[in-house]
Amino acid sequence: MKTFRLQLRFLLPLALVLVAAAYLSLPLVDQLTQRWFSRDLDIRGRLIANALADPLTQALAEGASPRVQALLERTVRDERLLALGLCAPDGRLLQASSAFPSELGCRAAAPAGSELSALHRTDGGPVHLRTQPLVIGGSHSADLVLVHDFSFVEHRSQDTRRYLLYLIVAMGASMALITMIVAQLSWRGWVAGARALLRGEGLVRPLAAPAPELAPLAAELRSRLRRLEDEYRRARGPEGPWDAPRLRQLLGTELSGQEVIVVSNREPYIHEHGAGGLEVKRPASGLVTAVEPVMRACAGTWVAHGSGSGDRDAVDSGDRVRVPPESGDYTLRRIWLTEEEERGYYYGFANEGLWPLCHVAHVRPVFRQSDWDSYRAVNQRFADAVAAEARSEDPIVLVQDYHFALLPAMLRERLPAATIITFWHIPWPNPEFFGICPWAPELLRGMLGSTILGFHTRHHCRNFMETVDRQLEARIEPEHDTIFHEGKETLIENYPISIDWPSEQAAAAWPPVPVCRDRVREHFGLGPDALIAVGVDRFDYTKGILERLYAVERMLEKHPELRGRFSLVQIAAPTRSALDEYRAFQRRISDLAERINARFGGPGHAPVHLVAEHHDHAALLELYRAADACVVTSLHDGMNLVSKEFVATRDDEQGVLVLSRFAGAAREMTEALIVNPYHVEETADALHRAITMPPQEQRERMASLRSTVHEFNVFRWAGRMLGDAARVRLRERIAQRVEGMSHG
Ligand code: ADQ
């Protein structure tokens, strides 16, 4: 009905145009036919007159009127020629064929001696007159008048008019029909196109280019949606506190019933065969620290490499185990890798290639073809496993870190409707530096399979966009933080990671600070007035442990009064020890620590306590709470969670954080003593200032740091990411509903 009314709008003007055309064209056609036939009759008349001229003039000259009469009668046997007459120059009718209309006479003809045609209406109908002068003996002596029947012209004109009318009506009908069909088809196409737009095709993720006539509408819709999203993101500013219940609420409302799958290399729980049978351990990893609370809140599935010696004994027949062991909140699905795969994908491409590439820590990245092949194959295996674990077509998949740069695009192929959020936990270097990777474009293409791509800082987001700009044919829209590549849109956003801020009950159960100090002093054999600095890291060259030791050495050179009183307790969890670079680095650190201890230590006192061991949560807590200063001197760090953990444990508001300006955390934690770890003198001075800082200044700085980390906690990190994912999904759902309504 709607389309019929729309079509009427086309048809009425069409009908009006056709009526006007008929009204104007019919008299014109009449005139034209009359003119054409008169001209025909003129030519015919002249021919007949010329043929008669000689015998007539001769018969007239001889005065033979019966011959004249016979000539006239014989000529009018032609079916169109009605009559012939001869007029004298004075206008008298001299002689005429028998059918000559009496009412005409010679008056109706042209003036004597002139050649002319005219139309006349007689009692018998319309006639055409033609006058032809006859010359006898050199002078004009009579006029021959030819009378042609003209009624047949009128009949033909009527016929022509009728046929023309039929033609106009037929043309009008066919034009109307064609218009209706075309209108119907294009309306359907248009509606389908608009629906596709609302679904987001050609708009949010232009899979196929929209129809050209829809392009302006698509552009308008796209820019409006974007503006709304931008406004939303900007308006987000300071928001209420985030905690586990709020994250659960988000998962229970905006993402209610949605499936969440995490994929990472490192598993959150490792089963090892120990003296007491199968033991469960938590690895030293910032990633696990951050993602675990999210998984507890949403009870999803975590897909990870099963690396523990007892991992296979802990899983069921589907390689799954419920974790944490005490509550079984979510499922851990383990993937098994061969030694060769681990060597190529993990140690090789990820840790000898991408890790130094992204950290710019002056360790040369190594790129081997075999490592790359292995990296690709393992990414594919994980992508297949995630697709197999998915119970829905559109799960939310959280891809973690640089081990899986290719996985997002691979997964997108398997689950096109999935919302893929990739978080890159390490820094992103500048485009020149990233360009040295032989497979830079492939890595970027893989990452751009994500719906959302997250980094810790805006600086890393910018570096990534510039790298894509150099390496790929992609449309980058910095004002919206998006990249369009191969018809897909990826939001590039910064989500600073953090820790799970300890609850009041948890904090109430902590041993008091003096107790912690006593225990640590006792454990390391330190004196009662000892000044304690702590360092807690994975034993990695990017953490600046070497630079930290140089700073300790320099401080003790400059401040001899601290010798015998100051100690750095450096906890370093062994990591990637299978790599030469790491083993050499760890040896160098041990040698340096020994040298410093030899230089400034004494009987029963060592300025550096290097403990290359993994510590449990309680041991770390004790250490953080016992410290006068915590030293974080990363040469480059995506964020660094140790700095935040230290602050979180200091509810006594004492203790000073010395923090590298090259750690992402330095952007938020501005009340720390910020240092350039490459600058030994500056770092040594900052360390000295930290351990001698008056308690009041410590309190002011620590209180401010605590309120920052409390607010910017890990639930905010996850909540913002999942909130963005929920918005993308909501947008797609609205489009589907609009489509449903227009069907109805
Ligand atoms: P990491 O390089 O692992 O993380 P970091 O953020 O400092 O660095 O996290 C280390 C984690 O391991 C902390 O939770 C710490 O408590 C724990 N840890 C360190 N040494 C330990 C030890 N000896 N025993 C027990 N636990 C220990 C990567 C990036 C970081 C980013 C995180 C999170 O390199 O920049 O902050 O991911 O995104």
Side-chain angles (χ1 to χ4, degrees):
M1 191 62 200
K2 246 186 279 173
T3 47
F4 179 69
R5 249 185 272 139
L6 274 165
Q7 282 165 6
L8 267 187
R9 288 186 206 162
F10 288 108
L11 295 179
L12 280 177
L14 178 71
L16 282 175
V17 168
L18 290 174
V19 168
Y23 184 76
L24 292 175
S25 64
L26 291 180
L28 199 71
V29 168
D30 251 4
Q31 274 179 22
L32 279 175
T33 20
Q34 284 198 8
R35 212 178 294 156
W36 285 335
F37 281 107
S38 315
R39 209 176 298 146
D40 271 5
L41 291 177
D42 269 355
I43 295 166
R44 220 176 121 85
R46 202 179 300 137
L47 276 174
I48 296 171
N50 287 342
L52 275 180
D54 281 350
L56 263 182
T57 42
Q58 203 179 343
L60 281 174
E62 289 166 6
S65 39
R67 227 166 76 218
V68 171
Q69 190 63 36
L71 259 174
L72 294 180
E73 293 298 348
R74 199 166 50 233
T75 311
V76 294
R77 273 184 212 144
D78 182 286
E79 72 174 293
R80 297 257 179 271
L81 191 59
L82 275 184
L84 287 170
L86 276 174
C87 292
D90 58 4
R92 270 177 309 111
L93 183 65
L94 293 174
Q95 228 171 318
S97 64
S98 49
F100 194 86
S102 54
E103 68 268 32
L104 272 182
C106 285
R107 288 181 315 278
S114 57
E115 195 180 307
L116 208 86
S117 317
L119 288 179
H120 276 278
R121 188 156 286 280
T122 64
D123 298 341
V127 291
H128 175 267
L129 291 186
R130 171 153 186 99
T131 313
Q132 185 80 26
L134 296 176
V135 178
I136 303 169
S139 67
H140 169 239
S141 58
D143 290 301
L144 177 64
V145 179
L146 296 101
V147 182
H148 270 103
D149 173 24
F150 208 71
S151 62
F152 81 97
V153 176
E154 282 202 342
H155 293 148
R156 286 210 182 153
S157 181
Q158 272 169 12
D159 286 349
T160 316
R161 232 184 298 165
R162 201 169 46 245
Y163 290 136
L164 195 71
L165 211 61
Y166 290 158
L167 186 73
I168 288 177
V169 170
M171 262 171 55
S174 17
M175 277 166 74
L177 192 69
I178 292 169
T179 311
M180 276 168 72
I181 292 170
V182 170
Q184 187 76 29
L185 288 180
S186 28
W187 175 251
R188 276 192 201 156
W190 211 86
V191 169
R195 277 184 192 143
L197 274 181
L198 287 171
R199 273 198 306 275
E201 292 162 22
L203 175 71
V204 182
R205 289 186 212 139
L207 296 173
E213 66 274 19
L214 290 176
L217 178 63
E220 177 66 10
L221 268 172
R222 204 180 296 136
S223 84
R224 272 175 192 274
L225 279 175
R226 290 277 194 68
R227 225 174 299 146
L228 273 176
E229 277 203 38
D230 286 351
E231 274 168 23
Y232 175 84
R233 278 198 282 135
R234 270 172 216 134
R236 210 157 43 178
E239 45 187 331
W242 274 94
D243 51 15
R246 184 167 168 195
L247 183 66
R248 261 195 298 275
Q249 192 192 352
L250 172 79
L251 290 160
T253 51
E254 289 174 52
L255 290 170
S256 163
Q258 308 300 316
E259 194 185 357
V260 179
I261 303 176
V262 168
V263 50
S264 72
N265 174 70
R266 178 65 58 87
E267 51 184 346
Y269 291 91
I270 305 177
H271 287 87
E272 300 275 6
H273 288 300
L278 208 54
E279 293 170 2
V280 189
K281 283 191 183 157
R282 281 198 47 152
S285 152
L287 182 157
V288 172
T289 311
V291 182
E292 157 94 344
V294 180
M295 283 316 270
R296 283 179 186 243
C298 70
T301 304
W302 188 321
V303 180
H305 169 213
S307 58
S309 60
D311 275 355
R312 283 177 195 265
D313 299 323
V315 295
D316 63 14
S317 57
D319 298 328
R320 298 186 190 92
V321 56
R322 296 292 291 182
V323 287
E326 62 282 4
S327 54
D329 291 334
Y330 63 95
T331 304
L332 170 60
R333 159 77 201 276
R334 286 176 169 148
I335 305 286
W336 315 114
L337 298 180
T338 63
E339 260 182 41
E340 200 187 342
E341 280 174 330
E342 210 180 333
R343 217 175 19 251
Y345 138 81
Y346 178 74
Y347 288 110
F349 193 74
N351 286 316
E352 285 189 283
L354 286 180
W355 177 267
L357 179 76
C358 289
H359 278 89
V360 197
H362 316 292
V363 168
R364 230 179 127 101
V366 180
F367 295 112
R368 299 180 197 92
Q369 179 68 47
S370 55
D371 291 348
W372 169 246
D373 294 341
S374 175
Y375 184 83
R376 242 189 351 218
V378 172
N379 269 248
Q380 188 64 61
R381 279 189 54 201
F382 272 79
D384 294 345
V386 173
E389 286 300 314
R391 296 185 312 276
S392 57
E393 281 182 351
D394 60 348
I396 297 173
V397 184
L398 299 167
V399 180
Q400 302 300 316
D401 229 351
Y402 62 102
H403 308 95
F404 296 115
L406 301 178
L407 187 142
M410 291 169 168
L411 190 60
R412 171 79 53 223
E413 295 237 315
R414 301 283 310 264
L415 295 174
T419 303
I420 304 174
I421 308 174
T422 301
F423 192 79
W424 198 259
H425 288 260
I426 62 176
W428 191 273
N430 65 37
E432 288 76 20
F433 207 80
F434 195 79
I436 66 175
C437 175
W439 299 284
E442 285 91 333
L443 287 168
L444 297 172
R445 253 180 244 128
M447 291 171 79
L448 290 176
S450 317
T451 317
I452 298 175
L453 181 52
F455 295 93
H456 291 297
T457 66
R458 287 218 63 74
H459 178 63
H460 298 153
C461 294
R462 264 198 308 276
N463 276 353
F464 180 80
M465 293 212 194
E466 284 169 17
T467 310
V468 171
D469 199 21
R470 296 270 175 95
Q471 298 278 347
L472 299 181
E473 281 291 319
R475 197 173 84 236
I476 296 169
E477 297 186 343
E479 69 280 20
H480 301 297
D481 304 314
T482 50
I483 297 180
F484 281 91
H485 179 248
E486 289 176 356
K488 288 189 314 290
E489 182 186 11
T490 304
L491 172 70
I492 314 295
E493 185 57 286
N494 68 309
Y495 305 99
I497 209 166
S498 194
I499 54 159
D500 178 3
W501 186 257
S503 66
E504 276 175 25
Q505 296 97 297
W510 290 341
V513 167
V515 173
C516 294
R517 287 184 71 86
D518 286 346
R519 287 188 193 157
V520 169
R521 270 204 298 262
E522 195 183 319
H523 185 85
F524 292 100
L526 310 178
D529 63 342
L531 292 169
I532 306 168
V534 300
V536 176
D537 307 84
R538 282 186 305 98
F539 217 153
D540 193 290
Y541 55 78
T542 62
K543 298 296 180 185
I545 303 174
L546 199 68
E547 289 68 16
R548 197 174 306 168
L549 294 187
Y550 284 141
V552 167
E553 186 177 34
R554 181 71 189 124
M555 183 186 74
L556 292 176
E557 273 173 9
K558 286 174 88 173
H559 301 280
E561 74 284 3
L562 292 176
R563 295 176 198 169
R565 241 193 112 188
F566 172 84
S567 285
L568 169 73
V569 177
Q570 176 64 54
I571 306 293
T575 181
R576 305 170 198 168
S577 311
L579 296 177
D580 291 346
E581 190 71 51
Y582 279 77
R583 281 200 305 275
F585 171 73
Q586 289 162 13
R587 257 198 317 277
R588 247 181 106 189
I589 298 285
S590 307
D591 293 350
L592 182 58
E594 269 176 35
R595 198 186 80 198
I596 296 172
N597 285 342
R599 251 187 99 185
F600 300 110
H605 174 76
V608 178
H609 293 266
L610 180 65
V611 191
E613 274 171 23
H614 181 274
H615 282 48
D616 65 17
H617 180 71
L620 286 186
L621 176 86
E622 206 169 84
L623 205 62
Y624 286 141
R625 279 169 76 74
D628 293 295
C630 176
V631 197
V632 175
T633 47
S634 315
L635 302 181
H636 208 180
D637 220 334
M639 176 55 70
N640 189 281
L641 293 179
V642 169
S643 51
K644 297 190 173 181
E645 287 168 356
F646 169 65
V647 163
T649 61
R650 297 311 295 259
D651 53 356
D652 63 334
E653 295 182 344
Q654 292 295 293
V656 180
L657 175 65
V658 177
L659 179 59
S660 163
R661 57 190 278 200
F662 305 121
R667 318 248 157 178
E668 296 168 82
M669 305 180 80
T670 45
E671 292 81 9
L673 298 182
I674 306 291
V675 295
N676 172 359
Y678 291 97
H679 193 332
V680 176
E681 203 71 22
E682 182 188 293
T683 313
D685 289 347
L687 184 56
H688 181 257
R689 191 174 160 204
I691 56 172
T692 56
M693 188 179 280
Q696 184 52 32
E697 187 180 348
Q698 290 187 40
R699 177 158 294 115
E700 283 164 11
R701 287 176 182 269
M702 184 54 83
S704 175
L705 285 170
R706 282 173 62 78
S707 96
T708 304
V709 179
H710 187 181
E711 184 185 340
F712 292 83
N713 58 41
V714 73
F715 295 107
R716 187 178 185 275
W717 171 74
R720 279 188 55 219
M721 248 176 354
L722 291 169
D724 284 347
R727 272 205 337 274
V728 171
R729 290 162 80 89
L730 180 67
R731 196 169 56 179
E732 280 164 7
R733 262 208 310 275
I734 289 174
Q736 274 165 13
R737 271 196 214 137
V738 169
E739 188 189 20
M741 273 160 52
S742 57
H743 271 316

